[in-house]
Amino acid sequence: MRILPKPRQFIQRQEEMMPEKKKIILGVTGSIAVHKAVDICSQLTKAGADVHVVMTKDAQQFITPLPFKTLSRNPVITSLYDEEEGWCPAHIRLSDEADLILVAPATANTIAKLANGLADDALGCIVLAVNPGAKLFIAPALNGRMWQSQATQSNVEILKERGVNFIGPEEGDLACGDEGLGRLSSVEKITEV
């Protein structure tokens, strides 16, 4: 008579034999396009990534952390002072372990803060302290005039010079009622990272 392993043991063995999951930090900022970040989180998780969501204070004005926690199966960081068990600050641990940081949607404010190295929230600290091997992608979502402003374009150039990759923005109807360049790229295009 053959004794089969218990389901939990079997799953654990399967996970040990699988290649290590890519650890993706999904930075979610305060844009009306934040609802698409839930789909981004879902698609990345379904593709096998280990997704850790970091929400800015402004993002929390649009949506709660609960859908991200449920879909990613990981705690959501909503403050620089969110701590898990142990002594190492969560934002430093994530910056050490990240394979990729994806900020989607990214506001003009967030782009400016990242270009100038501001670390006044968890997302800014993670980006500033990220390990040199991690890639950084930014998917902007903002008003067309804000995107085309000289200040924003200067900040984009600074980030590109540092090796940051931009996904979009795209042309289309914007939440403010305008039409033009500033719309968040499609979930499919963003999750190709």
Side-chain angles (χ1 to χ4, degrees):
M1 173 189 233
R2 185 170 170 230
I3 298 174
L4 295 173
K6 294 180 182 176
R8 177 177 266 155
Q9 291 171 331
F10 179 74
I11 291 169
Q12 185 175 2
R13 284 187 194 142
Q14 290 295 96
E15 288 175 353
E16 288 171 2
M17 293 187 311
M18 293 171 60
E20 194 171 318
K21 291 182 176 184
K22 183 185 281 189
K23 185 167 282 193
I24 298 177
I25 310 304
L26 175 59
V28 181
T29 73
S31 164
I32 193 67
V34 75
H35 67 281
K36 291 183 180 179
V38 175
D39 288 337
I40 293 167
C41 178
S42 177
Q43 294 303 316
L44 291 172
T45 303
K46 285 178 184 175
D50 181 18
V51 180
H52 293 262
V53 178
V54 180
M55 295 179 73
T56 65
K57 185 177 178 183
D58 290 337
Q60 295 171 66
Q61 295 297 312
F62 292 93
I63 193 167
T64 70
L66 184 59
F68 295 109
K69 181 179 179 180
T70 303
L71 293 169
S72 71
R73 299 173 187 93
N74 284 310
V76 175
I77 298 196
T78 57
S79 165
L80 187 55
Y81 306 102
D82 283 351
E83 293 303 325
E84 300 168 9
E85 293 180 27
W87 64 271
C88 186
H91 63 278
I92 298 300
R93 182 184 52 75
L94 287 176
S95 67
D96 287 343
E97 298 172 355
D99 293 306
L100 185 144
I101 297 176
L102 169 62
V103 183
T107 61
N109 183 54
T110 299
I111 292 168
K113 287 167 67 171
L114 296 178
N116 289 286
L118 296 182
D120 61 348
D121 61 13
L123 181 60
C125 287
I126 289 169
V127 171
L128 198 59
V130 73
N131 72 75
K135 295 180 181 177
L136 176 58
F137 289 84
I138 295 177
L142 59 167
N143 170 274
R145 290 187 306 276
M146 292 175 76
W147 171 252
Q148 294 174 340
S149 76
Q150 187 176 3
T152 300
Q153 288 305 305
S154 292
N155 291 328
V156 168
E157 285 308 310
I158 288 168
L159 290 167
K160 283 182 176 179
E161 286 172 12
R162 293 183 192 152
V164 175
N165 303 285
F166 279 80
I167 305 167
E170 295 181 358
E171 294 237 12
D173 293 330
L174 305 174
C176 61
D178 289 350
E179 187 175 319
L181 191 61
R183 184 180 181 92
L184 184 69
S185 292
S186 69
V187 172
E188 293 75 26
K189 186 172 183 181
I190 293 170
T191 55
E192 287 176 358
V193 301

